[in-house]
Amino acid sequence: MSPILVITVISVYFLVLMGISYLTSRKNDNLTFFTANRQSPWYLVAFGMIGASLSGVTFISVPGEVGNTAFAYFQVVMGYLVGYLVIATVLLPLYYRLNLISIYTYLEQRFGKYSYKSGAFFFLLSRIVGSSFRLFLVAGVLQLAIFDAYGWPFSVTVAITIALIWLYTFRGGIKTIVWTDTLQTLFMISAVAISIYLMKDALDMSWFQLTEKVSASGYSEIFVWDWQSGQNFFKQFISGAFIAIVMTGLDQDMMQKNLTCRSLKDAQKNMFWFCIVLVIVNFMFLSMGALLYIYAGEMNIAIPTRTDDLYPLLALEHFPLIAGVVFLLGIIAAAYSSADSALTALTTSFCVDFLGLGQDDKPISKKIRIRVHLAFSVILFLVIIAFKAINDQSVITAVFKAAGYTYGPILGLFTFGLITKYQLKDQWVPVVAVVSPILSYIINDNSEIWFSGYKFGFEILVVNGLLTFFGLFLIKKSKLELAD
């Protein structure tokens, strides 16, 4: 695919996003930026959240991982459903009852200032690292596809990537995101559907034959019962439930979209239909992954050493041109649908949680909000450049995984607040929030030695949350302290 064609596709794509931004940001105020005036249609939020819940990493990695673990990832997706049920029945009613802009203000009302700031801080840390990592991968794709041909440095690619996000989000904020996420989700699903169709056509099979081919292959196995495996069903299922609760229900980025719905009932309908579509989309990704391996085998195409490279290789070098175009649109949509909403959520959290805007009759300043929005754009740029300077994929991946540990303290704090009536020695909460992820990392790193070969998967998140919960229990106030 020529650089000129890539530039044309991306230019048209962002012109459409800019048009959406213009239409959704007219006559807007700061409340629109943060809450979309709570007027978003629930079905748009539900569909758009699919794109936000999937990243560029997922778009490439899930199909590629089928070669290693077949459909085992679907066990996690099944667990998601339990997590989303908890969100719809427990967390959303709480957020709507308290009329929250930032969900972490609940922690202040429940425990105090230090708990509140701890939850918000760990969200900021995790989102900055996670979003930077995803944008780093996409900037690398753009560098290879476009800017290397013109001799432009990587820093320019990153600056352009982030500037485009800033331009279409700085005015409309979450109201714009709800609509752009819908478009980006459509591009992602279209890329997968078209890729599947083209492989079916190239293999000269009917849909029934294609289904039989995937079912008969070893790639379609879902369940793993070996307890030592990181892919064990119970590990994956339970982890999926907690991942959904933490990375959707306790995440400002994802919940900010839900809180733009007109009512709690609409938000709950959004979660219900979001669940159904998410399951279907993830199954499509896995099915496409199986087909990629089958197609490569039938066409005698060598499988890349890195499984993440399989889909890009086939789409850009072996599929027809239309597949390369939709793949490019899909990977960009996957990355930007998570990055643009993350930038808006970071701005919201910092303005509300650390600057106190919108609280205690403190007005929401548009000038301050724009400065914060710009500042986080610069921070993302600097972190991505730091990733490039490290220039070690294993180190960068480790940093990204480490950011996942920051959700444990948030899980522990919210769980302790919801299922107990204890008050805390609030000033000690930051200590617990820092120590718990460190202990979790040590346990995870030594689990095979300490626990007779047991290997943690995603369920290390649960361990992290439990350690936080136990630490909070240790610093609860006594009856005597409550009396004082």
Side-chain angles (χ1 to χ4, degrees):
M1 187 180 296
S2 70
I4 296 297
L5 178 57
V6 175
I7 291 174
T8 302
V9 170
I10 293 175
S11 297
V12 171
Y13 176 79
F14 278 103
L15 282 174
V16 173
L17 293 186
M18 294 297 181
I20 294 174
S21 175
Y22 172 75
L23 293 173
T24 56
S25 61
R26 291 181 299 175
K27 299 179 181 179
N28 281 355
D29 54 24
N30 274 318
L31 196 59
T32 304
F33 182 94
F34 294 127
T35 68
N37 302 112
R38 302 201 191 279
Q39 292 298 312
S40 298
W42 66 265
Y43 44 86
L44 279 181
V45 178
F47 189 69
M49 279 178 60
I50 300 297
S53 65
L54 303 172
S55 67
V57 180
T58 306
F59 188 79
I60 294 175
S61 294
V62 168
E65 184 61 20
V66 169
N68 298 321
T69 59
F71 279 22
Y73 177 71
F74 199 70
Q75 299 172 124
V76 177
V77 177
M78 294 166 66
Y80 287 166
L81 300 179
V82 176
Y84 294 136
L85 178 65
V86 173
I87 294 169
T89 58
V90 178
L91 294 176
L92 281 177
L94 173 69
Y95 299 153
Y96 269 87
R97 185 175 73 250
L98 298 177
N99 195 30
L100 302 181
I101 295 177
S102 167
I103 63 174
Y104 306 113
T105 50
Y106 161 75
L107 296 176
E108 182 177 38
Q109 296 178 32
R110 180 66 177 83
F111 298 123
K113 180 179 68 175
Y114 289 100
S115 300
Y116 171 36
K117 302 300 182 186
S118 296
F121 170 77
F122 277 105
F123 163 73
L124 292 179
L125 178 63
S126 185
R127 270 300 173 188
I128 287 171
V129 175
S131 298
S132 297
F133 180 79
R134 295 180 180 102
L135 284 174
F136 170 76
L137 295 180
V138 174
V141 173
L142 295 179
Q143 184 73 26
L144 291 172
I146 306 174
F147 297 109
D148 274 346
Y150 297 100
W152 289 15
F154 183 74
S155 58
V156 173
T157 306
V158 176
I160 292 173
T161 301
I162 295 176
L164 288 170
I165 295 176
W166 189 84
L167 283 172
Y168 74 80
T169 60
F170 85 98
R171 287 179 300 185
I174 195 64
K175 184 177 180 181
T176 297
I177 296 302
V178 167
W179 287 89
T180 56
D181 274 1
T182 301
L183 178 67
Q184 289 166 331
T185 300
L186 180 63
F187 279 130
M188 289 176 59
I189 295 176
S190 298
V192 176
I194 291 172
S195 296
I196 291 174
Y197 177 81
L198 290 172
M199 284 187 285
K200 180 194 83 71
D201 194 50
L203 294 170
D204 194 25
M205 293 182 180
S206 67
W207 287 111
F208 178 78
Q209 290 173 322
L210 201 69
T211 303
E212 287 285 300
K213 186 78 171 178
V214 172
S215 299
S217 72
Y219 298 122
S220 61
E221 295 295 326
I222 295 176
F223 300 103
V224 178
W225 303 109
D226 178 9
W227 75 275
Q228 289 186 327
S229 171
Q231 307 300 321
N232 174 268
F233 170 77
F234 297 104
K235 296 180 187 179
Q236 297 277 284
F237 184 83
I238 294 170
S239 298
F242 280 95
I243 288 170
I245 292 170
V246 172
M247 300 192 74
T248 299
L250 304 181
D251 185 281
Q252 176 64 28
D253 183 0
M254 298 298 287
M255 280 297 98
Q256 193 167 353
K257 298 180 181 69
N258 279 274
L259 294 176
T260 67
C261 293
R262 295 184 176 96
S263 65
L264 171 59
K265 184 177 180 181
D266 275 1
Q268 290 173 322
K269 281 194 293 185
N270 155 52
M271 287 304 304
F272 173 76
W273 286 104
F274 166 69
C275 287
I276 293 175
V277 178
L278 185 68
V279 169
I280 294 172
V281 170
N282 273 286
F283 196 80
M284 286 177 63
F285 269 98
L286 291 167
S287 299
M288 182 183 71
L291 285 173
L292 290 173
Y293 282 94
I294 292 171
Y295 177 88
E298 294 285 335
M299 299 299 174
N300 295 315
I301 299 170
I303 304 295
T305 304
R306 291 181 68 253
T307 58
D308 284 2
D309 294 336
L310 178 61
Y311 187 24
L313 171 71
L314 296 179
L316 297 175
E317 297 185 18
H318 296 278
F319 290 171
L321 181 62
I322 181 63
V325 172
V326 296
F327 168 79
L328 189 62
L329 287 172
I331 185 65
I332 293 172
Y336 278 83
S337 62
S338 59
D340 56 14
S341 59
L343 183 57
T344 302
L346 288 168
T347 302
T348 300
S349 179
F350 191 82
C351 286
V352 175
D353 300 328
F354 290 94
L355 300 182
L357 303 185
Q359 300 184 48
D360 300 323
D361 298 322
K362 191 173 183 179
I364 300 175
S365 167
K366 182 177 181 180
K367 184 182 293 186
I368 293 176
R369 186 258 293 170
I370 291 176
R371 287 177 179 173
V372 171
H373 199 59
L374 182 60
F376 275 112
S377 300
V378 173
I379 290 171
L380 291 179
F381 171 81
L382 294 175
V383 174
I384 294 171
I385 296 301
F387 283 161
K388 177 65 174 177
I390 293 171
N391 200 27
D392 184 333
Q393 189 68 27
S394 61
V395 173
I396 295 168
T397 303
V399 171
F400 178 58
K401 288 182 178 178
Y405 283 91
T406 59
Y407 281 104
I410 300 174
L411 173 63
L413 278 164
F414 272 85
T415 304
F416 197 88
L418 289 169
I419 71 174
T420 78
K421 295 182 179 180
Y422 295 122
Q423 292 297 319
L424 299 174
K425 298 171 184 176
D426 188 45
Q427 69 275 18
W428 287 101
V429 169
V431 176
V432 173
V434 170
V435 170
S436 296
I438 294 173
L439 291 177
S440 299
Y441 181 83
I442 294 171
I443 291 171
N444 187 43
D445 199 43
N446 294 279
S447 65
E448 292 184 78
I449 299 172
W450 292 351
F451 306 119
S452 303
Y454 185 89
K455 190 175 182 180
F456 280 102
F458 294 132
E459 75 275 13
I460 193 65
L461 169 66
V462 181
V463 175
N464 196 351
L466 286 172
L467 287 172
T468 303
F469 189 97
F470 179 70
L472 296 176
F473 184 81
L474 294 178
I475 61 169
K476 65 181 177 65
K477 288 183 177 180
S478 64
K479 291 182 180 180
L480 184 60
E481 289 172 314
L482 288 173
D484 292 338

